[in-house]
Amino acid sequence: ATIPGFLSRGLSLEEGESLLKKSVKLAVEARDKFWDGFGCIPGNSYNRALVAASIGSYGAYLADGSEYSGCYGPGVNLDKLKDFHRRRLQVIVEAGPDLLAFETIPNKLEAQACVELLEEENIQIPSWICFSSVDGENAPSGESFKECFEILNKSKNVNAVGINCASPHFIESLVCKFKELTTKAIVVYPNSGAKWDGRAKKWLPSMCFGDEEFELCAPRWRNQGAKVIGGCCRTTPSTIRAISKSLKETS
């Protein structure tokens, strides 16, 4: 969700900002309610959940599929991207999440905008920045992850880096690549393997992972170096249960 997106639907600035805050607060309340009920049970196997506030890419706001191409056009520069993200970041931070998740970032320029904003706003909340990938080798823009990670590695405000909303078929090789490029924690939460047609606005048939495949692969991703593992688009709560079960059983 974005403030410009809310404004385009007829909401006021105040209403849009209120909804952003509410999204975080509802997640925190749900987590706290769960923990109040289960956290005090002796022998329970739960870790206290952390709430990560999602900060999606400029391309996701455009809703034209450009989060999977990184092609924002000549009119989009570093300052424009920082202006787009700044107020949303401020509002979300005020709501008090445990983590900030900059996700589905398609190019080096937007990663730089996120890094500079974290510094300019003096954000103290732990943050990660995740790219997407359409070829399993590079960022969607075609820029190498080596180029992209050079920016992230210099930042003390970025605690983890990774990949999200990319095919799970890519994760194993990407984790190995990322281990060579950074000493930061690695985050992976792929989609099901389905491909999004941004212009037609629909998912295309493709070779997808089911829960069984996620259950099989999650321990391998962890053993290769991933520290946070989950699922993105077209995965389900049962997918997350399968991942959690597999990681616990093989720990």
Side-chain angles (χ1 to χ4, degrees):
T2 65
I3 293 173
F6 286 136
L7 295 177
S8 71
R9 302 301 295 178
L11 277 71
S12 68
L13 178 61
E14 183 179 26
E15 290 170 330
E17 292 185 354
S18 176
L19 284 175
L20 281 177
K21 289 182 180 178
K22 188 174 184 179
S23 69
V24 175
K25 291 183 180 297
L26 285 174
V28 170
E29 289 173 7
R31 184 272 314 279
D32 291 346
K33 182 177 181 180
F34 171 83
W35 191 247
D36 288 344
F38 289 89
C40 59
I41 298 176
N44 84 81
S45 60
Y46 294 104
N47 293 317
R48 185 174 183 273
L50 300 176
V51 174
S54 169
I55 301 174
S57 66
Y58 180 69
Y61 156 68
L62 296 177
D64 60 0
S66 56
E67 70 266 45
Y68 300 111
S69 71
C71 298
Y72 290 163
V76 178
N77 56 24
L78 181 64
D79 287 337
K80 184 177 180 69
L81 289 172
K82 287 163 69 173
D83 288 344
F84 169 76
H85 284 293
R86 189 182 302 275
R87 182 55 188 157
R88 176 174 54 164
L89 175 61
Q90 293 170 340
V91 170
I92 285 175
V93 167
E94 289 171 7
D98 300 302
L99 304 166
L100 296 174
F102 294 89
E103 51 189 16
T104 328
I105 303 300
N107 56 42
K108 183 173 68 173
L109 183 67
E110 191 159 17
Q112 182 178 348
C114 297
V115 167
E116 291 189 11
L117 275 179
L118 287 171
E119 182 175 346
E120 291 171 10
E121 297 295 324
N122 192 29
I123 303 301
Q124 301 300 311
I125 298 173
S127 305
W128 73 59
I129 295 180
C130 282
F131 294 88
S132 52
S133 180
V134 295
D135 63 3
E137 294 286 338
N138 305 290
S141 60
E143 295 162 313
S144 71
F145 283 118
K146 181 179 180 180
E147 293 178 77
C148 296
F149 276 39
E150 286 174 354
I151 297 168
L152 308 186
N153 287 336
K154 295 175 183 177
S155 174
K156 296 180 180 179
N157 299 87
V158 177
N159 303 89
V161 298
I163 193 84
N164 80 286
C165 217
S167 170
H169 299 89
F170 299 155
I171 300 303
E172 195 163 339
S173 61
L174 285 175
V175 172
C176 292
K177 180 190 290 285
F178 291 176
K179 285 288 289 182
E180 297 176 355
L181 297 176
T182 187
T183 58
K184 295 183 184 291
I186 295 173
V187 178
V188 298
Y189 48 114
N191 57 34
S192 68
K195 295 182 179 180
W196 176 249
D197 184 331
R199 297 196 179 278
K201 295 184 174 22
K202 65 178 182 179
W203 292 97
L204 302 177
S206 54
M207 293 180 61
C208 295
F209 268 33
D211 293 351
E212 297 80 7
E213 287 85 1
F214 274 99
E215 187 173 346
L216 178 66
C217 289
R220 293 211 301 262
W221 299 340
R222 177 195 57 201
N223 294 341
Q224 288 164 340
K227 298 298 184 183
V228 178
I229 299 172
C232 200
C233 294
R234 309 288 279 186
T235 63
T236 68
S238 68
T239 307
I240 304 305
R241 281 194 293 269
I243 292 172
S244 177
K245 175 175 177 288
S246 178
L247 292 175
K248 287 178 180 178
E249 290 178 349
T250 57
S251 62

